[in-house]
Amino acid sequence: MINAVKGTRDLLPPDTRVWNRVEETAREVFRLYGFEEIRTPILEPLELFVRSVGEASDIVHKEMYAFTDRGDREVCLRPENTAGVARAYIEHGLARAGGVKKLYYIGPQFRYERPQKGRYREFRQIGAEVLGAADPASDAEVLVMLFDFLRRLGFTGLTVSLNSVGTEECRPRYVEALRDYLAPHIAVLGPDDQRRLEQNPLRVLDSKDPAVKSLVSSAPQMLEFLDPPSAAHHEEMLRLLDAAGIPYKIEPRLVRGLDYYTRTVFEVTAAGLGAQDALLGGGRYDRLISDLGGPKTAGIGFAIGEDRLVDVVSDSFRAAALEGVPVAVIPLSPDDRGYAFALASGLRERGISCDVQTAAKGPGAGLKAAEKRGSRLAVLAGEEERTGRSAVVKDLIKRTQEKVSAESLASYIREREKSQ
RNA sequence: GUGAGAGUAGCUCAGUCGGUAGAGCAUCGGACUGUGGAUCCGAUGGUCGCGGGUUCAAAUCCCGUCUCUCACCCCA
């Protein structure tokens, strides 16, 4: 037997209905906020991620799904989508058009990791980016849109964790202060945290080691080291979030794994996701475009883990997405199939989905199959109905039935579906 | 990349001390030829993940390997 590649999976019905509804909701919300879709290649030059996400990051040094193609090009399956959007933005000269570009994407991403709950080698992200906007109002707008989306999926009680990681101007002073603070306690740090201290000291802040956690709880905080422009940016964003009623909490130890973030970083976690509890993450990346060789362009965005989102989406949203099983049209004998097809066509023209059951094993089998499929209504058509241009509509739950004329069939079914 | 647990019918699982494979559900057929869910009878269904080893004999013990699950690392 040939199995799916490790860490990838098939999404099957009826679950795909939930996925589709989530994506439809995202598209609708993004449209309302003036965002447009961008689709970038799944395959990108390896170099793109080395230069954007960061050579020292785990994503690049151990999680890349990379290989050499037949033309000796170093390529990889994209581990995230912001870099690809930035690449496209530069490549197509979108900056020259001026103004702000608001883009969103929905698609698969790949990281070569050991799979576990909420983590797959192929996973999907729903993300949005605002390019060419340095103003804190963009940070706030992105979060307002995010919460609008989450609310429509039925999430309540979620809070966004917020921090600022400053800029190239003020972060080095903070890193130095953090190193000074940790230096006397180096013995407390395990091997992982010592490595972090070397490579990316900010990561020590979100260590899971209890001893390190308590040590770090009284460490100096980045927010105290922000230079005036970054501090003002942070304050204004918070003011706008307050005005919009967005539930947030300042999390001074929040850092993110991608090297390109500046100033605002945020993340939302959710219960029920196991150890990988980050539902989404994002932040500002004012240097990314220029680092990739484009004009100096500010940017902010987020990525939602769609697999995780679908995992914990509200029961009511899920139930709504799973509603609507086709009406079963059941010919009572093989001779009635033609008439059944005609009835089905009429229903479909009026937007009612239906499937025609085979007549091979008699009406009992047809009804059984319809029930198994979850249909609530069945349309029975035999010789008597065919000659009288009518149909019997049977309620499979109440076990009642009624004869209606062929021409009023669709409206009758609509009424019945509405009343359920 | 590291660690732990698991892998037997389509699904959920049992399988004793090593003795040649089982149940429930599902599927199909029948009781039931214009009306389903219940019940009864019957049938189909297996490379016991894969490979090697020990043994007269391996689903069972040993080694390797693959996959899944969870955790670490890290992240969505």
Side-chain angles (χ1 to χ4, degrees):
Chain A
M1 183 161 63
I2 298 173
N3 298 313
V5 170
K6 184 186 180 82
T8 70
R9 56 185 185 150
D10 300 304
L11 304 177
L12 305 172
D15 282 355
T16 42
R17 290 195 192 201
V18 180
W19 285 78
N20 277 321
R21 187 66 75 91
V22 164
E23 290 168 16
E24 285 160 15
T25 306
R27 290 177 192 283
E28 171 65 3
V29 171
F30 295 163
R31 187 184 67 79
L32 291 171
Y33 285 78
F35 283 68
E36 295 207 75
E37 185 178 14
I38 181 170
R39 301 193 189 195
T40 64
I42 290 173
L43 201 59
E44 291 275 10
L46 183 65
E47 179 69 9
L48 174 63
F49 303 104
V50 174
R51 284 180 54 187
S52 59
V53 174
E55 197 147 12
S57 71
D58 266 45
I59 289 180
V60 166
H61 87 253
K62 76 171 207 202
E63 296 170 5
M64 296 285 254
Y65 220 119
F67 56 95
T68 306
D69 76 6
R70 295 186 191 202
D72 276 334
R73 284 172 282 258
E74 294 285 332
V75 297
C76 79
L77 302 174
R78 62 186 185 196
E80 56 103 48
N81 219 145
T82 301
V85 170
R87 197 218 78 246
Y89 180 85
I90 296 165
E91 186 167 335
H92 300 285
L94 299 185
R96 283 193 307 245
V100 174
K101 275 279 174 218
K102 299 199 282 190
L103 304 167
Y104 78 87
Y105 58 83
I106 297 173
Q109 320 291 338
F110 300 82
R111 291 182 199 173
Y112 198 90
E113 300 180 88
R114 198 77 159 250
Q116 73 181 73
K117 184 174 173 61
R119 185 163 65 190
Y120 308 96
R121 288 188 174 179
E122 181 192 27
F123 60 104
R124 293 112 194 129
Q125 286 187 332
I126 299 174
E129 315 285 355
V130 180
L131 295 165
D135 196 281
S138 292
D139 305 41
E141 189 189 30
V142 156
L143 286 166
V144 168
M145 179 169 80
L146 202 43
F147 273 80
D148 194 346
F149 175 56
L150 293 173
R151 184 181 51 77
R152 288 176 198 232
L153 296 189
F155 286 101
T156 55
L158 290 181
T159 297
V160 59
S161 300
L162 276 175
N163 194 20
S164 175
V165 293
T167 63
E168 287 304 297
E169 280 74 52
C170 51
R171 197 184 311 152
R173 284 198 301 121
Y174 173 65
V175 169
E176 201 179 324
L178 183 62
R179 280 210 163 103
D180 289 347
Y181 172 80
L182 292 174
H185 308 288
I186 190 92
V188 177
L189 303 184
D192 283 333
D193 286 315
Q194 296 207 11
R195 180 177 51 76
R196 287 162 154 168
L197 187 57
E198 288 302 312
Q199 293 178 352
N200 194 340
L202 295 188
R203 296 272 183 75
V204 179
L205 293 174
D206 67 355
S207 174
K208 283 182 183 173
D209 184 331
V212 177
K213 267 187 160 166
S214 75
L215 171 62
V216 140
S217 66
S218 45
Q221 299 185 356
M222 182 67 226
L223 290 175
E224 293 158 2
F225 285 76
L226 294 180
D227 57 18
S230 288
H233 184 99
H234 189 64
E235 289 308 313
E236 176 63 5
M237 177 187 70
L238 295 185
R239 201 181 65 75
L240 290 168
L241 291 179
D242 286 333
I246 300 300
Y248 66 82
K249 70 170 186 287
I250 304 297
E251 183 50 73
R253 280 165 292 281
L254 175 66
V255 293
R256 316 233 66 252
L258 284 58
D259 287 0
Y260 54 59
Y261 285 121
T262 54
R263 292 189 174 164
T264 307
V265 294
F266 58 86
E267 115 183 337
V268 173
T269 59
L273 287 175
Q276 310 304 321
D277 62 353
L279 189 59
L280 63 93
R284 177 163 281 285
Y285 45 87
D286 290 344
R287 285 184 46 236
L288 177 61
I289 304 283
S290 54
D291 280 356
L292 289 174
K296 187 162 175 17
T297 307
I300 182 163
F302 62 80
I304 304 168
E306 191 179 1
D307 301 71
R308 294 178 186 179
L309 188 68
V310 168
D311 236 27
V312 296
V313 76
S314 68
D315 290 340
S316 58
F317 185 89
R318 177 176 295 275
L322 294 175
E323 263 177 19
V325 179
V327 169
V329 178
I330 303 173
L332 295 181
S333 82
D335 290 342
D336 304 314
R337 285 168 149 175
Y339 183 54
F341 268 53
L343 289 174
S345 296
L347 291 177
R348 289 168 184 147
E349 270 170 30
R350 289 166 182 77
I352 295 169
S353 73
C354 49
D355 35 33
V356 181
Q357 299 285 344
T358 175
K361 291 169 199 160
L367 286 164
K368 207 172 191 172
E371 199 211 0
K372 185 162 184 282
R373 190 157 171 23
S375 296
R376 313 184 82 146
L377 294 176
V379 173
L380 299 166
E383 187 180 356
E384 189 185 320
E385 288 76 20
R386 171 158 42 95
T387 52
R389 310 311 290 171
S390 66
V392 169
V393 178
K394 181 158 179 127
D395 187 314
L396 295 176
I397 295 160
K398 293 180 190 153
R399 319 199 106 201
T400 58
Q401 64 182 47
E402 194 167 346
K403 187 176 239 183
V404 299
S405 71
E407 60 180 10
S408 65
L409 182 60
S411 52
Y412 176 83
I413 287 175
R414 273 216 188 295
E415 279 308 307
R416 291 298 301 266
E417 282 182 337
K418 231 185 289 175
S419 69
Q420 278 177 10

